[in-house]
Amino acid sequence: MDYIFSEMIQMFQDDLQAIEGIYVEDIVVYGSTVTGDYIEGRGDIDFLVFLKNKLTKVQIVDIFSLHEKYRNNQDLFAKLEGIYYTLKSQKDILNGIYIGTSRSGWKTIDYIVHDNIEQGMILNDYRTLTGKIELEKLFSVDWKLIDEEINKNIKESLLLSKKLNDVEFNIYIIQTFARCLFTRKNNSFTSKSKAIAFLSKYEDFKKHRVVLERLQSIRYPYSASEVKSVDLKESNEIILELVRHLTYNRNN
C-alpha cells in the first residue's frame, strides 16, 4: 500500500478515535489501493473498521456525520466505502455500520455482510493498520460456496441485463464476469483491471481488444463519454462470450 494511503488510514483512525467512546481495534484496507490498481479520483477505497466497543446510537450518528464531512470535502476520504464491525466472537458481531456508495445506502448491521466471494477477495490481498485483527479467523474461502455464488451472480445479472439493455450496466457485468472467470479458472482472485487483461489470453476476445482495453481503466461512476465509448451490441456479445467461458470452465 502506498505511503499516501497509509498516512490517510492513520488520519482516519485519529478522526474515529476523536469520537467519544470509540475504540479502534484495527483498520483493514483491501482492493485497488492494495493491489496497485487504484486510479486517482476513480473507484472506492475499501475498508473494514474493527471496534472494541459496541456502537451507541449517538456514536452511529457521529460516524455518519464524519463520512458526510468526508464526502463534502471531495478528497481521498470521500472515496471511503466499507464496514464497521464490533465483534462478539470470530463469526459473530454485536453491531456495526455499512457505509455504501450513496448516503441512502448507509445503515446499521448485526451480521457479517461479506459473501464468500468478497471474503476470498479480501483474504487474497489486504493490509492492516495495527495487525491486531486476524482476518483468516473471521473470514474463510469455501470454493463450493464461491462456485454457487458465481452461478447465482451470472443468472441474476443476465436477467437484469436483458431487462435493462443498458451499456452502463453491461460495463459492470463485463468487469464482474471477467473476475468470476479468473477466479473459476485460477482458484484465485484479482482486480477488475487484471481480470479484463486476463481475457486477452482467449482467442474469442481478441476481436474485442479495443473496448476491453478501455474497460480496464473505467471505474464507477462512469462518465457520459466512457459510456458512449462502449457499443451496446458489442458489450452484449462480450457478456455472452463470458457466460460461455464461465459455463465451460465449470465443467472442464
Side-chain angles (χ1 to χ4, degrees):
M1 184 168 60
D2 291 345
Y3 171 77
I4 187 171
F5 292 114
S6 298
E7 187 179 47
M8 172 193 173
I9 297 306
Q10 183 64 62
M11 293 171 65
F12 181 32
Q13 181 193 41
D14 293 342
D15 285 346
L16 288 173
Q17 295 194 149
I19 298 173
E20 186 175 356
I22 290 289
Y23 302 98
V24 176
E25 177 79 12
D26 208 348
I27 298 178
V28 172
V29 182
Y30 63 98
S32 59
T33 55
V34 173
T35 61
D37 294 302
Y38 187 78
I39 299 173
E40 187 175 354
R42 305 298 303 272
D44 304 326
I45 298 175
D46 300 304
F47 74 86
L48 300 172
V49 171
F50 293 93
L51 301 170
K52 297 179 183 179
N53 58 287
K54 184 176 181 179
L55 289 165
T56 66
K57 290 181 179 179
V58 172
Q59 289 167 344
I60 289 170
V61 170
D62 288 342
I63 291 173
F64 281 170
S65 297
L66 176 63
H67 284 278
E68 289 276 19
K69 184 185 78 173
Y70 287 161
R71 299 297 169 96
N72 291 334
N73 288 342
Q74 291 300 309
D75 54 13
L76 270 179
F77 288 88
K79 299 296 183 180
L80 284 167
E81 308 284 355
I83 307 288
Y84 289 79
Y85 285 134
T86 301
L87 297 178
K88 181 179 181 181
S89 67
Q90 288 296 339
K91 283 293 183 182
D92 195 14
I93 69 171
L94 291 172
N95 69 343
I97 302 172
Y98 168 69
I99 301 294
T101 55
S102 67
R103 178 65 177 85
S104 61
W106 298 3
K107 62 182 180 180
T108 57
I109 55 174
D110 57 6
Y111 62 95
I112 302 293
V113 299
H114 294 91
D115 62 22
N116 287 273
I117 293 176
E118 290 173 319
Q119 289 183 33
M121 288 171 60
I122 294 170
L123 290 175
N124 190 61
D125 204 351
Y126 70 91
R127 300 289 185 275
T128 68
L129 181 64
T130 68
K132 292 180 180 179
I133 191 72
E134 295 181 69
L135 281 187
E136 289 79 5
K137 292 183 179 179
L138 178 64
F139 294 158
S140 62
V141 178
D142 187 321
W143 290 107
K144 182 179 178 182
L145 292 177
I146 287 172
D147 191 58
E148 291 174 357
E149 286 176 6
I150 288 175
N151 293 333
K152 181 181 178 183
N153 196 337
I154 293 169
K155 183 178 179 181
E156 292 178 348
S157 296
L158 282 177
L159 288 173
L160 270 174
S161 178
K162 291 176 181 177
K163 181 179 179 180
L164 296 174
N165 200 35
D166 175 71
V167 170
E168 192 166 344
F169 187 65
N170 280 4
I171 292 172
Y172 163 77
I173 291 180
I174 291 169
Q175 292 176 334
T176 301
F177 282 11
R179 293 177 88 168
C180 288
L181 181 61
F182 182 94
T183 294
R184 188 162 271 175
K185 185 69 175 177
N186 299 285
N187 277 1
S188 185
F189 304 89
T190 194
S191 65
K192 293 183 179 76
S193 297
K194 292 175 182 176
I196 296 291
F198 171 74
L199 299 182
S200 64
K201 73 186 291 290
Y202 294 97
E203 187 67 31
D204 299 321
F205 291 104
K206 288 184 177 179
K207 62 183 177 183
H208 303 296
R209 179 182 57 82
V210 173
V211 69
L212 288 174
E213 286 179 353
R214 193 173 296 139
L215 291 180
Q216 287 185 51
S217 60
I218 292 179
R219 297 290 184 273
Y220 185 83
Y222 318 123
S223 68
S225 61
E226 286 172 336
V227 173
K228 191 176 180 179
S229 72
V230 179
D231 179 71
L232 179 61
K233 181 180 178 181
E234 185 173 12
S235 66
N236 283 328
E237 290 174 358
I238 295 171
I239 289 171
L240 290 176
E241 198 61 56
L242 278 164
V243 172
R244 188 175 74 83
H245 279 276
L246 280 162
T247 305
Y248 176 82
N249 268 284
R250 187 185 179 211
N251 298 316
N252 292 273

